[in-house]
Amino acid sequence: MPRLTPERRETKRAEIVAAARRCFSRDGFHQTSMPDIAAEAGVSAGAAYRYFAGKDEIILAIAGDAFRLVFSPIEQLAAGTSAVSVADLVTASLEVLSAETVTDAAGHEVPVEELLRCAVQTWSELLRNDAARAHALEGFESVRGGIASALRRGQEAGVVAPALEPERGARVVMGLLHGFLLQRVAFGLTDTTGFNDDIRTLLEDPGEPDTTRR
Amino acid sequence: MPRLTPERRETKRAEIVAAARRCFSRDGFHQTSMPDIAAEAGVSAGAAYRYFAGKDEIILAIAGDAFRLVFSPIEQLAAGTSAVSVADLVTASLEVLSAETVTDAAGHEVPVEELLRCAVQTWSELLRNDAARAHALEGFESVRGGIASALRRGQEAGVVAPALEPERGARVVMGLLHGFLLQRVAFGLTDTTGFNDDIRTLLEDPGEPDTTRR
Amino acid sequence: MPRLTPERRETKRAEIVAAARRCFSRDGFHQTSMPDIAAEAGVSAGAAYRYFAGKDEIILAIAGDAFRLVFSPIEQLAAGTSAVSVADLVTASLEVLSAETVTDAAGHEVPVEELLRCAVQTWSELLRNDAARAHALEGFESVRGGIASALRRGQEAGVVAPALEPERGARVVMGLLHGFLLQRVAFGLTDTTGFNDDIRTLLEDPGEPDTTRR
Amino acid sequence: MPRLTPERRETKRAEIVAAARRCFSRDGFHQTSMPDIAAEAGVSAGAAYRYFAGKDEIILAIAGDAFRLVFSPIEQLAAGTSAVSVADLVTASLEVLSAETVTDAAGHEVPVEELLRCAVQTWSELLRNDAARAHALEGFESVRGGIASALRRGQEAGVVAPALEPERGARVVMGLLHGFLLQRVAFGLTDTTGFNDDIRTLLEDPGEPDTTRR
DNA sequence: CATGAATGAGCATTCATTCAT
DNA sequence: TATGAATGAATGCTCATTCAT
């Protein structure tokens, strides 16, 4: 039997992750058994243990992905060098909620529906799993830093209010995404078109109405 | 030991719920066993079954509370008749994140930390539990309706932008709360002071800077 | 509270037994809980323990009745002094399978359907419960003795073959009843009319066929 | 420890069945726990669930065997083509009560004592378990049909009374076996030798043959 | 005496994990 | 390497029995 090449190993690992994601999305982290995952991946019950130390490690892998990938569109935008407005950021941020798939670090397409359903479950894990929380916090800060940088670039370019504290602004954007994400997966409120305007209108000064809008 | 008065029954039920909430907050829904709950409540393993049909029913009771109580400050504000601005709503909405306790329907004080940790876990349940989702959706719509009403009153009073679609504005407010809630319990980002301003600033037209702020 | 008179005590005990018999007949000995019996009898869970030491004692009471009452018609016939033929005995024996009710020692009417269903379950208990087996064996021997006596009287009167060993003949009669009893309750084969003739025909010498029959 | 060959699987399944039969025979269906069975079989608590969906399925397997095997000697006789008399049938039928073991469909020797004790318990199950009853009824009818066929062959050969209705005669034979079976396991009345004669004598016309009958 | 709430041991079943093949 | 049978601890739940009121 030929040594398992690193590539084949990685491929198989990814297959197990993808199978686990399907199971988790469908049945939940805790209602999914290791045999379930193995069966979904088309491997034996024991095989998964050659790629992961245990169920927790699979959850962690999924959770890391789920937490981070949700922000992948906005991260890409933020990683650029062009001047972006807040509206651009919010729009990019909510974009993931309407997409069919996103692409993970290894280049695999991940169905957004699965991703989001896993993301919400991930949040529960963060409460009790120190490793997961540390990992997620790192991702959170990384995304926040990226958004903050973009906001700073926007301020320099004059398309973002100079009074905005970038780190805090980034938190708002991320919070909004999480909130709408939850509304979508838990309640089926998939429509996020126009929310950028809604948000702006919401906070608008009522006295000086529409002259500057849109 | 016959004749449990309805009041005593309710008290005991509430004790079990409170114990379950402590366990769930500490260990998670699925890592908490019925014996754990019973022990925390100081009752025998079988006793809980006189008050709840099973573990799911306890989870449901907690989840219902958790989902709804998070909005209790804003619901109270919205239920009033005074004209409130968006800033008032957002402030009230985020208030729960800094409070120590909130009061549930039966008048019991519920520690906010526990409440929020249960709330996040509730979200995971919504994905797979039809009863919980239906229940939560009802709560969601009720809160949304209340906030929308308050926004309409604000529009009539001239303190909310007339262009705002109230139902959509309410979704934004609720989404923000959920997003910040997650940031607090998952990452320890408890500080929400000033976020009202941040949000406003975030969306501000950069061209007309500081004249209207703070 | 007035002392419970022995009569009232006996009445209540009988009510519990009757309730237990209904439960046992419907759900089986082991699928019936003490609360079930109490509820069926309209008393509290604890009350039954004033009349019976525990569930086993109730089963024993039912079992004793069930085992014995099945033979009550044949016992009555055997207890008489008239000369009875084997056909009379078999007929009387199977009679209980077509009756609606039989009357127990205390004069209560007991539905035969319930009685038979409990009787079959009783047999299982005999295998493991020494007290029940001893009790039943005593009843068995008593009935067998009665039938044997009747057979002896029949032999004296010339209506029973003199070569028959009465004790063994009685076993055959009793075995037949048990066999047909099982066929009725387990398979719904309620028809036992004419089986007397069948039995006779079955064992008839085929060489001297039909000249005298029917 | 991969790849359980179908034969080994069947062997192990049979071992569990045999262990369960020992437990059931000793302690009863409902007093035997799954761990009891597993321990008796020398396997772990969970292992049994790879071979049976649950306890009920084990009971059903035992019950099916127990109900059917009791008739195996008479079925073999009836399955033949030779002309058999009623006496032959009854003798064969009761034979099982004196045997040490019988051989099941898979060729395993089953101790008769265990078999009979399980058979009696099976009868209780028939009252409440529709699947078991349907299964047993099928077996019952099959055996009855076999015996009836043998009786018809006997009639053709002139060794069975032509007036006998074979289906009814078969019921009598089966009823007798069940009755004597119960007497053996419940009361230790193991002796069935000569009962064939007893039965015949029992129904024999006493001194003055047929002139007085009916 | 009766009540019925409480107890707590016991049970069927599941499942993460191991390891012989 | 991969397999999948086996393990055995853990869990949710039931129920016979007790006893404070």
Side-chain angles (χ1 to χ4, degrees):
Chain A
M1 207 172 295
R3 283 281 160 264
L4 196 61
T5 64
E7 302 90 68
R8 263 210 61 65
R9 182 177 171 78
E10 218 36 61
T11 302
K12 195 137 186 187
R13 197 187 136 102
E15 278 168 11
I16 293 172
V17 166
R21 190 161 38 219
R22 287 193 294 277
C23 291
F24 291 161
S25 167
R26 190 198 318 125
D27 304 318
F29 285 175
H30 299 286
Q31 284 66 41
T32 298
S33 72
M34 286 295 277
D36 287 342
I37 295 172
E40 175 83 29
V43 301
S44 70
Y49 286 86
R50 295 213 149 269
Y51 299 89
F52 298 93
K55 191 181 175 184
D56 280 352
E57 203 174 292
I58 301 185
I59 290 183
L60 220 59
I62 300 275
D65 274 9
F67 193 88
R68 193 67 181 262
L69 285 182
V70 157
F71 293 109
S72 63
I74 195 174
E75 271 199 300
Q76 280 170 26
L77 182 68
T81 55
S82 58
V84 294
S85 69
V86 169
D88 293 336
L89 281 170
V90 172
T91 300
S93 160
L94 298 184
E95 209 160 72
V96 76
L97 301 181
S98 323
E100 283 297 312
T101 61
V102 295
T103 307
D104 72 9
H108 301 106
E109 298 282 305
V110 178
V112 162
E113 179 70 18
E114 288 175 13
L115 186 70
L116 302 185
R117 291 175 66 89
C118 287
V120 171
Q121 295 178 69
T122 291
W123 301 341
S124 293
E125 294 307 305
L126 300 183
L127 306 191
R128 301 167 300 96
N129 186 326
D130 290 338
R133 187 170 52 250
H135 196 204
L137 183 52
E138 192 182 349
F140 182 86
E141 294 301 350
S142 161
V143 173
R144 173 152 74 157
I147 297 174
S149 294
L151 287 173
R152 273 189 213 97
R153 286 202 312 275
Q155 288 173 326
E156 284 161 17
V159 295
V160 169
L164 181 71
E165 205 174 315
E167 298 288 336
R168 296 172 66 103
R171 264 188 76 185
V172 175
V173 172
M174 294 177 80
L176 270 172
L177 171 53
H178 280 152
F180 281 118
L181 192 169
L182 177 64
Q183 289 181 11
R184 171 181 156 165
V185 299
F187 301 123
L189 302 176
T190 52
D191 176 33
T192 52
T193 55
F195 268 96
N196 209 343
D197 288 339
D198 289 329
I199 296 163
R200 177 178 297 256
T201 310
L202 181 73
L203 296 154
E204 194 162 78
D205 234 318
E208 30 164 338
D210 291 277
T211 56
T212 61
R213 291 180 62 243
R214 265 168 247 186
Chain B
M1 173 186 321
R3 210 55 63 193
L4 195 63
T5 64
E7 301 91 67
R8 263 205 64 65
R9 181 178 172 78
E10 219 35 62
T11 301
K12 192 134 189 189
R13 196 187 137 104
E15 278 169 12
I16 294 172
V17 165
R21 191 159 38 217
R22 286 192 295 277
C23 292
F24 291 161
S25 167
R26 188 196 321 124
D27 305 318
F29 285 173
H30 299 287
Q31 284 67 37
T32 299
S33 72
M34 286 296 278
D36 289 342
I37 296 172
E40 175 82 29
V43 301
S44 70
Y49 289 89
R50 289 191 75 76
Y51 298 88
F52 298 92
K55 191 182 176 184
D56 281 353
E57 203 173 292
I58 301 185
I59 290 182
L60 221 58
I62 301 272
D65 273 9
F67 193 87
R68 194 65 181 261
L69 285 182
V70 157
F71 293 109
S72 62
I74 196 174
E75 273 199 299
Q76 280 170 26
L77 181 68
T81 55
S82 59
V84 294
S85 69
V86 169
D88 293 335
L89 281 169
V90 172
T91 301
S93 160
L94 298 184
E95 207 160 73
V96 76
L97 300 181
S98 324
E100 282 298 312
T101 62
V102 295
T103 307
D104 73 9
H108 302 104
E109 297 283 305
V110 177
V112 161
E113 179 68 19
E114 289 175 12
L115 187 71
L116 302 185
R117 290 173 67 88
C118 287
V120 172
Q121 295 178 69
T122 291
W123 301 340
S124 292
E125 293 306 305
L126 300 184
L127 305 193
R128 300 166 302 94
N129 186 327
D130 290 338
R133 187 170 52 250
H135 197 202
L137 184 51
E138 193 182 351
F140 182 87
E141 294 300 351
S142 161
V143 172
R144 173 152 77 156
I147 296 174
S149 294
L151 287 172
R152 277 191 210 95
R153 285 202 313 275
Q155 288 174 325
E156 284 162 17
V159 295
V160 169
L164 182 70
E165 204 174 316
E167 298 287 337
R168 295 171 68 102
R171 262 188 77 184
V172 175
V173 172
M174 294 177 79
L176 271 171
L177 171 53
H178 280 152
F180 282 118
L181 192 169
L182 176 64
Q183 290 181 10
R184 171 181 157 166
V185 298
F187 302 123
L189 302 176
T190 52
D191 176 32
T192 53
T193 55
F195 267 97
N196 208 343
D197 287 339
D198 289 329
I199 296 163
R200 179 178 296 255
T201 310
L202 180 73
L203 296 153
E204 193 164 77
D205 232 317
E208 29 164 342
D210 292 277
T211 57
T212 59
R213 291 181 62 244
R214 275 176 226 179
Chain C
M1 205 173 298
R3 284 279 159 266
L4 195 61
T5 64
E7 302 92 65
R8 264 211 60 67
R9 182 177 171 79
E10 219 35 62
T11 301
K12 196 136 185 187
R13 196 187 137 103
E15 277 169 12
I16 294 172
V17 165
R21 190 159 39 218
R22 287 193 295 277
C23 292
F24 290 162
S25 167
R26 190 196 319 125
D27 304 318
F29 284 174
H30 299 287
Q31 285 65 40
T32 298
S33 72
M34 287 294 277
D36 287 342
I37 296 172
E40 176 83 28
V43 302
S44 70
Y49 286 87
R50 295 214 148 269
Y51 299 89
F52 298 92
K55 191 181 175 183
D56 281 352
E57 204 174 292
I58 300 186
I59 290 183
L60 222 58
I62 300 274
D65 274 10
F67 192 89
R68 193 66 180 262
L69 284 182
V70 157
F71 293 110
S72 63
I74 196 174
E75 272 199 298
Q76 280 172 26
L77 182 67
T81 55
S82 60
V84 293
S85 69
V86 167
D88 292 336
L89 281 170
V90 172
T91 301
S93 159
L94 299 184
E95 208 160 71
V96 75
L97 300 181
S98 324
E100 283 296 313
T101 61
V102 296
T103 307
D104 73 9
H108 301 106
E109 298 282 305
V110 177
V112 161
E113 180 69 17
E114 287 175 15
L115 186 70
L116 303 185
R117 291 174 66 88
C118 287
V120 171
Q121 295 178 70
T122 290
W123 301 341
S124 292
E125 294 306 306
L126 300 183
L127 306 191
R128 301 166 302 96
N129 185 326
D130 290 337
R133 188 170 53 251
H135 195 203
L137 183 52
E138 192 183 351
F140 182 87
E141 294 301 351
S142 162
V143 172
R144 171 151 77 155
I147 297 175
S149 295
L151 287 173
R152 278 192 210 94
R153 286 203 312 275
Q155 288 173 327
E156 284 161 18
V159 295
V160 169
L164 181 71
E165 204 175 316
E167 298 287 336
R168 295 172 68 101
R171 263 187 77 184
V172 176
V173 172
M174 294 177 79
L176 271 172
L177 171 52
H178 280 151
F180 281 119
L181 192 168
L182 176 63
Q183 289 181 12
R184 172 180 155 165
V185 299
F187 302 123
L189 302 176
T190 52
D191 176 33
T192 52
T193 56
F195 268 97
N196 210 342
D197 287 338
D198 289 329
I199 296 163
R200 179 177 296 256
T201 310
L202 180 74
L203 295 153
E204 194 163 76
D205 224 320
E208 30 165 337
D210 291 278
T211 54
T212 60
R213 294 183 60 249
R214 283 186 213 165
Chain D
M1 169 189 319
R3 211 56 63 190
L4 195 62
T5 65
E7 302 91 67
R8 263 206 63 66
R9 181 178 172 79
E10 219 36 63
T11 302
K12 192 134 189 191
R13 196 188 138 105
E15 277 169 13
I16 294 173
V17 165
R21 191 159 38 217
R22 287 192 296 277
C23 292
F24 290 161
S25 167
R26 188 197 321 124
D27 304 318
F29 285 172
H30 299 287
Q31 285 67 38
T32 298
S33 72
M34 288 295 278
D36 288 342
I37 296 172
E40 175 81 30
V43 300
S44 72
Y49 288 88
R50 289 190 75 76
Y51 298 88
F52 298 93
K55 191 182 176 184
D56 281 354
E57 203 173 293
I58 301 185
I59 291 183
L60 220 59
I62 301 273
D65 273 10
F67 192 89
R68 194 66 180 261
L69 284 183
V70 157
F71 293 109
S72 63
I74 195 175
E75 272 199 301
Q76 280 171 27
L77 181 68
T81 54
S82 60
V84 293
S85 69
V86 168
D88 293 335
L89 281 170
V90 172
T91 300
S93 159
L94 299 184
E95 209 159 71
V96 77
L97 301 181
S98 323
E100 282 298 311
T101 61
V102 295
T103 307
D104 72 10
H108 301 105
E109 298 281 305
V110 178
V112 162
E113 179 69 17
E114 289 174 13
L115 187 70
L116 302 184
R117 291 173 66 88
C118 287
V120 171
Q121 295 179 69
T122 290
W123 301 341
S124 291
E125 293 306 304
L126 300 183
L127 306 193
R128 301 165 301 94
N129 186 326
D130 290 337
R133 187 169 53 250
H135 196 204
L137 183 52
E138 193 183 350
F140 182 88
E141 294 300 351
S142 161
V143 173
R144 173 152 76 157
I147 297 175
S149 294
L151 288 172
R152 275 190 212 95
R153 287 202 313 275
Q155 288 173 326
E156 285 161 17
V159 295
V160 169
L164 181 70
E165 205 174 315
E167 297 288 336
R168 296 172 67 103
R171 262 188 77 184
V172 175
V173 172
M174 294 177 79
L176 270 172
L177 171 53
H178 279 153
F180 281 118
L181 192 169
L182 177 64
Q183 288 181 11
R184 171 179 157 167
V185 298
F187 303 123
L189 302 176
T190 52
D191 175 33
T192 52
T193 55
F195 266 97
N196 208 344
D197 288 339
D198 289 331
I199 296 164
R200 177 177 298 258
T201 311
L202 180 73
L203 296 154
E204 196 164 75
D205 248 312
E208 19 159 351
D210 293 277
T211 56
T212 58
R213 291 179 58 226
R214 232 153 304 159

